[in-house]
Amino acid sequence: MPPLTGSPPNGTFKLSRPVRGTVAALVSGALVALLLLVTSAGSAQADQTALRAADPSVIRVGGTYVSVQSTGGGIAVRQAASTAALAAAPARQVWSDARGRGEVWAPEIVRDGGRYYIYFSAGRGAAHRMYVISSTAADSGYTAESRLALPDDKWAIDGTLFTFEGQRWFVWSGWAGDTDVEQNLYIARMTGPTTPTGARYVISQPRESWERVVGNPFINEGPEPVMDPNGQLHIAYSANGSWSDQYCLADLRLRAGGDPTYVWDWYKSNGCLFGSHRATMMAGWDPTLYVDGPGHHSFVLLDGDIATSPPAGPRFPLMFHAVAKGTPYSWENRHWYTGTFCWWGGTTYSRANVPGPTSDTGWSLKFFE
């Protein structure tokens, strides 16, 4: 997903601590729908920011919002007191590709143990691998890049770090072998923010008809972790090629008590949850009105920590990239957008001809322009 440059996003919010346990379990899909009517009367056109770019990554640190983006052969950080103020904030370059590693894609920023970590992919063709830089300050003082020693050492992009049930994990998009047949989602344990350990485990492959509308290769990428009101792990990801307006967001939900490394403990949404084509949408989810090919999003969480994922009820902001309807669909026409999302209860994901139960019911995600 070659990035582009420009000016950044608008919109501001504050996340509250998530509701957990039995109280959250009492919130039904019907109540969520009622809350949506209260919190967002009427519909507005999609909020296109002035930032002509792809692959947004935004976190909140106290009262400061921090965004990161690739800028040609480097990485830039912006920070401001609100997401609206990011538009006027200077873009400070924190890393440049002095060693000529090649295309720099999809940086992701998180904060762990008081340090900022930016994970990004760099390389040319089959040489793309994940790298990391870190600093105690958001927009300066970053270390020289180091390559993440991901298991099997295969092509890898779109990686990010998160902590779930006391264990650090790294999730990314990669190839099974050395050829570009399909991009799968993989997960591996981490002993620290920069140290993978053990094997890599595939958790999703683009094998459903709705995520194989465009191919060569078939795509699962842009994984973004978030935790639902019951404390279950979700990985929302992008399906279909980013070069097509079939690009969309889908969801993986880890079953209650499931093992993140066991592929059949993950249940996949039965279609796109955020996309611009009705034929690929999950039943009960509507296509976009104002944008084409929404994808590679960012849940704007405190410190980028999924423990601060939002509760059930109102909508919460997110960032995503897309192309305005009526505009030729191309990488050059992608912008960052501010949208919203909420949890949607009582949603069943079903499957067939695989090990384990054929369905799982729990929280899903609704996305809005």
Side-chain angles (χ1 to χ4, degrees):
M1 298 132 288
L4 301 165
T5 59
S7 303
N10 301 311
T12 183
F13 68 100
K14 292 186 178 180
L15 291 177
S16 59
R17 298 293 297 181
V19 177
R20 302 284 183 230
T22 57
V23 174
L26 293 174
V27 180
S28 67
L31 179 55
V32 173
L34 177 61
L35 285 166
L36 288 178
L37 292 174
V38 173
T39 58
S40 54
S43 61
Q45 290 201 6
D47 187 5
Q48 183 190 89
T49 73
L51 180 56
R52 184 185 288 268
D55 309 330
S57 179
V58 184
I59 65 172
R60 181 169 66 86
V61 181
T64 301
Y65 292 81
V66 182
S67 68
V68 63
Q69 67 184 99
S70 53
T71 55
I75 294 172
V77 167
R78 303 170 191 259
Q79 55 181 343
S82 68
T83 53
L86 281 169
R92 296 194 61 178
Q93 186 158 315
V94 297
W95 178 82
S96 61
D97 187 16
R99 301 184 189 184
R101 297 193 182 277
E103 301 156 328
V104 179
W105 292 350
E108 290 279 331
I109 188 167
V110 300
R111 194 164 179 259
D112 184 295
R115 290 187 71 85
Y116 295 87
Y117 293 86
I118 298 176
Y119 302 89
F120 61 95
S121 173
R124 294 182 177 87
H128 266 276
R129 296 297 188 272
M130 291 302 308
Y131 294 84
V132 61
I133 57 178
S134 70
S135 177
T136 56
D139 63 351
S140 63
Y142 279 85
T143 59
E145 79 278 6
S146 61
R147 182 165 152 179
L148 282 182
L150 292 175
D152 297 335
D153 189 25
K154 302 298 183 183
W155 187 92
I157 65 170
D158 295 358
T160 194
L161 178 81
F162 68 97
T163 298
F164 178 64
E165 295 184 341
Q167 170 67 55
R168 287 187 183 92
W169 299 90
F170 196 77
V171 62
W172 73 98
S173 176
W175 298 350
D178 297 318
T179 56
D180 192 5
V181 176
E182 62 182 8
Q183 288 176 218
N184 305 321
L185 299 185
Y186 293 94
I187 196 168
R189 291 182 175 87
M190 302 282 282
T191 58
T194 63
T195 312
T197 184
R200 67 172 179 165
Y201 300 90
V202 66
I203 60 172
S204 181
Q205 295 174 283
R207 301 292 175 82
E208 302 300 321
S209 60
W210 53 268
E211 55 185 353
R212 295 172 70 88
V213 180
V214 295
N216 193 27
F218 298 110
I219 300 290
N220 280 180
E221 65 185 13
E224 294 292 335
V226 68
M227 196 158 60
D228 73 26
N230 286 343
Q232 288 175 242
L233 178 62
H234 293 244
I235 303 289
Y237 68 96
S238 300
N240 292 307
S242 65
W243 59 90
S244 164
D245 64 6
Q246 294 283 351
Y247 207 47
C248 70
L249 294 184
D251 180 43
L252 295 173
R253 180 176 63 221
L254 184 67
R255 72 169 181 83
D259 177 357
T261 70
Y262 182 53
V263 64
W264 303 122
D265 278 351
W266 291 94
Y267 285 77
K268 183 178 289 190
S269 58
N270 297 121
C272 301
L273 302 182
F274 196 34
S276 52
H277 291 268
R278 185 170 294 279
T280 57
M281 300 300 292
M282 181 164 162
W285 272 250
D286 293 320
T288 52
L289 294 174
Y290 307 111
V291 302
D292 284 327
H296 203 134
H297 65 300
S298 180
F299 298 113
V300 186
L301 304 178
L302 181 64
D303 292 338
D305 182 359
I306 68 169
T308 69
S309 298
R315 298 186 190 184
F316 288 83
L318 80 155
M319 302 296 299
F320 62 94
H321 80 235
V323 173
K325 282 189 182 294
T327 302
Y329 195 92
S330 67
W331 281 342
E332 291 75 17
N333 285 334
R334 294 176 298 187
H335 284 78
W336 281 16
Y337 283 81
T338 59
T340 57
F341 76 97
C342 73
W343 292 109
W344 202 257
T347 304
T348 298
Y349 296 165
S350 60
R351 62 193 189 185
N353 304 317
V354 299
T358 58
S359 66
D360 182 80
T361 300
W363 292 99
S364 184
L365 293 152
K366 286 271 189 177
F367 296 95
F368 305 89
E369 297 171 82

